Amino acid sequence: MDIIMGAWTWFANNILTQPAYFIGLIVVLGYALMRKPWYDILAGFIKAVIGYQILLVGSGGLTNAFRPIIVGLQQRFNISSMVIDPYFGQNAVQAAMDDPNGPAFIAGKSFSLVMFLLLFAFILNIVLVALKKYTKCRALFTTGHVQVQQASTAFFLILFAFPALRDQDWATLAIMTVVLGLYWAVGSNLLIRDSQELTDGAGLTIAHQQMFGVYFSSRVAEWMSKHSKKESKDVDDIKLPGFLKIFNENLVATGILMTAFFGTILAILGRDFLIEHEFMTESQDFVMYIITTSFSFAVYLSILQLGVRTFVTELTNSFHGISSKLLKGSVPGVDCAVTFGFGAPNAVTIGFLFGALGQFIAIGALILLQSPVVVMAGFVPLFFDNAVIGVYANKRGGLRAACLLPFISGLLQVFGSALIAGWVGMAAYGGYLGMWDWAVVWPIMTGVMKFLSYAGVAIVAIALLAIPQLQYRAHKETYFLEVEDWEKCKEMRTKGIK
């Protein structure tokens, strides 16, 4: 048993929760099933891992570039608040477990139970895809670091809903596995059609923290486009007059808009504050620091897009082996950042900025209303929710949708997170996951389970299982073709066959 536990611990720590190597392992498995030569398998593994690492450099750089603003708003104005960010949320769960005076339902629990939850929920995801003829689930959630964050938060929320099961670990894990495993399978399946249309059949979907949010936004954007009196143009199709034409260049538009956004906030924080907290040195010029920091947003976004292009090609090609031999008719669910390599580049910036506007307005409202829980914006929800929503909304509904829906998302992220984190007690530990699904969908599911007990679990499970069935009923003739033969699917839909 010790050998098995040791092997599982090593695999969980070094492969399953490290998305670069997990994606690399999937590429190796896929190419091996396709009987590729060993050197092609090795090359595919290396390109997939390095491509994902490039993506991580880009996303990490974006987060670090935004850090002065997060720290500044918190300390410069003495705002004591909870940060909505997946890593802060994960740390909050760990802190509650380690706190002997913390919530009775979770204090003293081991984080190893979270890792078991991750394993069992992932296995359930595989089973649901293997039984896709009946479940209609076609997507495998492969974003390892996101799975850890979600497993930890789900662990906290479901224990809160069932405190009587505190000492019954296996019974608790059974309930958690059903809810989380269904969420992964159903959520990533939700976005297959939209993702295939966005990428023109790249053979992937999104497996992240805002799957329901992106789906909801896509449907609203589609509705806006159909019911608008004026044609809703794609962000990148809008030709600006005169000097405004410079905004037609993605790098230029991003550089200018982020300089205005970052510059204003950094100027308010002041040079002395930035030096005191070692974001800049005495010898640096304040104006040049602002410009360099703002331009780095465009730099890291370009790096991120390069990483996406590098690993997606290998993942898509190799997954044919898995989808034809092991999990027939399935696609991998990957990090939401992959969409930045396919959607309108300026939609990324617009989604981020309008999402930020929504969050800041909501935070201001909490402060004015003297809310017991004050939220501080975290960069991950701020960018990776709202920019992704901007990309999908723009694809369906053009510029208006790309502005409006991320703005609404920003409001929901703050108000929803303040409500659920205050209610369950996570706010006291300084963080909550805070992204769209966990600020909107999971608070609803937690409330249903808390007030209806085991009947609530049944309602949540049945509701989740019903979603892919409804998707299938809406597109019976082409539903499985979305994954198995995208070109034929497109051809049939142009003829009006659903």
Side-chain angles (χ1 to χ4, degrees):
M1 182 59 72
D2 289 340
I3 294 175
I4 294 174
M5 280 301 300
W8 158 243
T9 301
W10 184 91
F11 179 78
N13 291 337
N14 295 284
I15 304 294
L16 186 59
T17 60
Q18 301 297 322
Y21 292 103
F22 191 47
I23 293 293
L25 179 63
I26 291 172
V27 168
V28 169
L29 178 60
Y31 280 151
L33 290 169
M34 295 168 69
R35 300 183 183 279
K36 290 275 188 178
W38 69 267
Y39 46 85
D40 284 345
I41 296 175
L42 176 61
F45 171 79
I46 292 172
K47 283 191 282 186
V49 171
I50 291 177
Y52 207 98
Q53 288 175 334
I54 293 172
L55 180 149
L56 293 178
V57 169
S59 60
L62 289 169
T63 303
N64 290 333
F66 199 73
R67 189 168 176 270
I69 292 178
I70 297 294
V71 175
L73 293 176
Q74 209 164 11
Q75 298 186 13
R76 179 76 166 77
F77 301 104
N78 297 317
I79 298 175
S80 177
S81 60
M82 170 195 76
V83 180
I84 49 173
D85 178 276
Y87 296 99
F88 277 84
Q90 184 177 327
N91 291 340
V93 174
Q94 184 70 71
M97 289 178 174
D98 295 339
D99 184 2
N101 299 315
F105 61 83
I106 200 169
K109 287 290 183 183
S110 169
F111 202 79
S112 63
L113 289 172
V114 172
M115 300 309 293
F116 273 113
L117 170 58
L118 189 159
L119 173 63
F120 298 154
F122 185 61
I123 291 172
L124 178 58
N125 187 177
I126 293 172
V127 170
L128 290 167
V129 174
L131 298 174
K132 70 180 178 64
K133 179 181 178 181
Y134 310 103
T135 65
K136 307 300 186 283
C137 294
R138 304 156 294 167
L140 187 65
F141 201 114
T142 66
T143 320
H145 64 298
V146 171
Q147 289 174 311
V148 178
Q149 296 159 1
Q150 294 186 356
S152 60
T153 303
F155 189 88
F156 192 107
L157 295 180
I158 296 173
L159 263 183
F160 168 78
F162 295 95
L165 295 179
R166 186 201 182 284
D167 297 320
Q168 301 177 45
D169 290 343
W170 294 108
T172 309
L173 283 173
I175 293 172
M176 293 176 178
T177 297
V178 170
V179 177
L180 186 60
L182 281 171
Y183 167 73
W184 285 349
V186 171
S188 52
N189 186 78
L190 259 181
L191 290 174
I192 289 177
R193 177 168 72 99
D194 293 303
S195 298
Q196 288 288 72
E197 291 180 359
L198 179 71
T199 65
D200 194 23
L204 51 82
T205 185
I206 300 304
H208 212 261
Q209 322 266 30
Q210 66 295 88
M211 299 176 293
F212 281 79
V214 173
Y215 181 81
F216 169 78
S217 299
S218 295
R219 301 288 73 76
V220 174
E222 198 170 26
W223 182 88
M224 289 173 63
S225 178
K226 287 180 180 178
H227 292 81
S228 175
K229 294 181 180 179
K230 294 182 180 180
E231 181 185 357
S232 187
K233 290 186 177 181
D234 185 285
V235 168
D236 288 348
D237 288 340
I238 296 174
K239 302 302 179 185
L240 299 171
F243 78 93
L244 292 177
K245 287 181 180 178
I246 62 174
F247 283 93
N248 290 328
E249 288 284 342
N250 174 48
L251 287 177
V252 175
T254 301
I256 292 174
L257 291 173
M258 296 313 296
T259 299
F261 177 78
F262 275 103
T264 301
I265 298 177
L266 291 174
I268 292 172
L269 295 176
R271 184 174 186 273
D272 292 340
F273 176 86
L274 295 170
I275 292 173
E276 179 186 348
H277 289 80
E278 300 180 351
F279 292 119
M280 63 178 290
T281 64
E282 288 277 5
S283 60
Q284 281 183 288
D285 181 81
F286 187 39
V287 174
M288 294 306 298
Y289 169 80
I290 290 175
I291 293 173
T292 302
T293 302
S294 302
F295 283 6
S296 68
F297 188 94
V299 172
Y300 288 120
L301 188 56
S302 298
I303 292 171
L304 187 150
Q305 290 167 335
L306 170 63
V308 166
R309 289 192 294 271
T310 303
F311 90 84
V312 163
T313 300
E314 296 303 320
L315 180 62
T316 302
N317 292 338
S318 66
F319 207 82
H320 289 305
I322 295 174
S323 62
S324 63
K325 299 289 179 65
L326 293 181
L327 295 174
K328 293 185 177 182
S330 64
V331 294
V334 297
D335 195 302
C336 65
V338 73
T339 60
F340 303 153
F342 294 97
N346 285 333
V348 175
T349 306
I350 287 173
F352 166 71
L353 291 174
F354 277 88
L357 178 62
Q359 278 206 15
F360 291 159
I361 289 175
I363 291 168
L366 291 179
I367 294 172
L368 289 174
L369 295 171
Q370 297 182 329
S371 167
V373 177
V374 177
V375 169
M376 178 57 62
F379 180 77
V380 176
L382 201 61
F383 183 74
F384 290 99
D385 266 8
N386 300 322
V388 173
I389 287 172
V391 169
Y392 279 88
N394 174 66
K395 176 70 177 178
R396 291 289 184 186
L399 178 62
R400 288 191 295 274
C403 295
L404 176 63
L405 293 166
F407 174 77
I408 294 173
S409 170
L411 296 174
L412 292 174
Q413 288 165 335
V414 171
F415 290 136
S417 296
L419 177 65
I420 185 67
W423 181 35
V424 304
M426 284 185 72
Y429 295 93
Y432 179 69
L433 200 156
M435 300 183 79
W436 204 101
D437 287 3
W438 297 81
V440 179
V441 177
W442 275 85
I444 294 172
M445 294 197 302
T446 302
V448 170
M449 290 186 287
K450 179 69 173 176
F451 294 116
L452 298 180
S453 189
Y454 297 114
V457 176
I459 291 170
V460 168
I462 292 169
L464 288 171
L465 284 168
I467 291 171
Q469 302 294 336
L470 293 173
Q471 286 183 281
Y472 171 72
R473 287 163 85 70
H475 299 279
K476 277 188 177 182
E477 299 298 324
T478 59
Y479 184 77
F480 289 112
L481 286 176
E482 289 175 352
V483 170
E484 296 167 358
D485 191 338
W486 176 243
E487 291 303 321
K488 185 176 180 180
C489 176
K490 286 197 299 182
E491 182 183 339
M492 291 177 67
R493 285 181 178 171
T494 56
K495 296 177 181 179
I497 301 173
K498 291 186 178 182

